Amino acid sequence: MHEVQTVYNELVRPPRDVIEAFHKVLLAEYSPSCLVADAQERVGAIGGLRSVKREHRIIGPALTIDLPEDDLVDILPVLPTAQPGDVIVLACHGNTRMAMWGGLMATLSQMAGIAGAVVDGAVRDVDELRDLDFPIWYRTTMPRRCPAAAPAAGRPVRVNVPIVIDGAVIEPGDIIVAEENGVGVVPPALADEVLAATRQLLAKESVIRDKINDGATLNQLLAEFGYL
């Protein structure tokens, strides 16, 4: 066994005011991940993940981690590279043989101000995660922890590189919008377009709800709006 090899790239985060604008527009609304997915076809969408608590919802820049596909290792050494508000997004390539996150990891993450995590793999200590109120999205649970180091032939852990989860490409610094429906992935270059389109969607949905409450039929709504 040896120390985990880790390759770090610089993370360029979106401007703080962009993240704050997403918080302001989305966090008080129903289904934020659905809103950003509807707002822009080029926004990534990840489904099939569990959340520790239904009420958890987070928005923040992605700190991406790409693990060796066959040699899952402890990512604890990566934590010092995170900044408050970051969302750690962990590509495990479908490997669920070992848990990649647990109670101690969540406690350290909270102390560092990390907003939450998206784990395309297994976690453990779910009861503790729930009591800690740490937002995390994950595939499944597994009691077995990952080793602290990988075999000498193992590939390095790569930090802040493009990763793929459920067919969605997540670039380091992409804006993660996660809640019980799933995870939306917004490239920073599309942030203004997505926010503008989201505001339009919210306004349209408000009008449609009012018309439904006033007795409008489905055919009338389709005739006026084309789709719902």
Side-chain angles (χ1 to χ4, degrees), residues 22 26-27 31-36 43-44 46 57-60 87 118 137 174-179 182-186 194:
F22 270 77
L26 291 167
L27 284 185
S31 308
S33 67
C34 300
L35 285 170
V36 297
V43 167
I46 303 170
R57 46 180 58 198
I58 58 173
I59 297 173
V87 178
V118 177
W137 286 257
D174 279 354
I175 301 167
I176 300 298
V177 180
E179 35 80 21
V183 180
V185 184
V186 183
V194 169

Side-chain angles (χ1 to χ4, degrees), residues 161-174:
V161 295
I163 60 176
V164 179
I165 296 178
D166 197 30
V169 178
I170 302 98
E171 299 276 353
D174 279 354

Side-chain angles (χ1 to χ4, degrees), residues 39-191:
Q40 172 59 257
E41 290 184 1
R42 288 177 288 169
V43 167
I46 303 170
L49 297 175
R50 310 179 188 183
S51 58
V52 174
K53 288 186 175 182
R54 291 180 58 188
E55 59 266 31
H56 280 161
R57 46 180 58 198
I58 58 173
I59 297 173
L63 189 159
T64 60
I65 303 173
D66 187 35
L67 286 173
E69 190 165 349
D70 297 319
D71 294 321
L72 298 185
V73 293
D74 192 349
I75 64 166
L76 192 60
V78 175
L79 282 186
T81 67
Q83 292 185 10
D86 284 351
V87 178
I88 294 180
V89 186
L90 182 56
C92 304
H93 305 284
N95 189 334
T96 58
R97 295 190 299 271
M98 290 171 284
M100 296 309 305
W101 208 286
L104 294 179
M105 187 81 167
T107 302
L108 288 166
S109 297
Q110 283 185 321
M111 295 296 291
I114 293 169
V118 177
V119 179
D120 186 30
V123 303
R124 69 180 202 168
D125 306 330
V126 174
D127 50 352
E128 185 177 0
L129 296 176
R130 189 177 298 113
D131 284 346
L132 288 169
D133 202 26
F134 182 75
I136 185 167
W137 286 257
Y138 60 97
R139 290 289 176 197
T140 189
T141 56
M142 167 58 74
R144 183 183 298 113
R145 69 178 182 181
C146 60
R155 295 188 297 108
V157 173
R158 300 189 304 151
V159 180
N160 292 325
V161 295
I163 60 176
V164 179
I165 296 178
D166 197 30
V169 178
I170 302 98
E171 299 276 353
D174 279 354
I175 301 167
I176 300 298
V177 180
E179 35 80 21
E180 62 180 305
N181 290 289
V183 180
V185 184
V186 183
L190 299 178

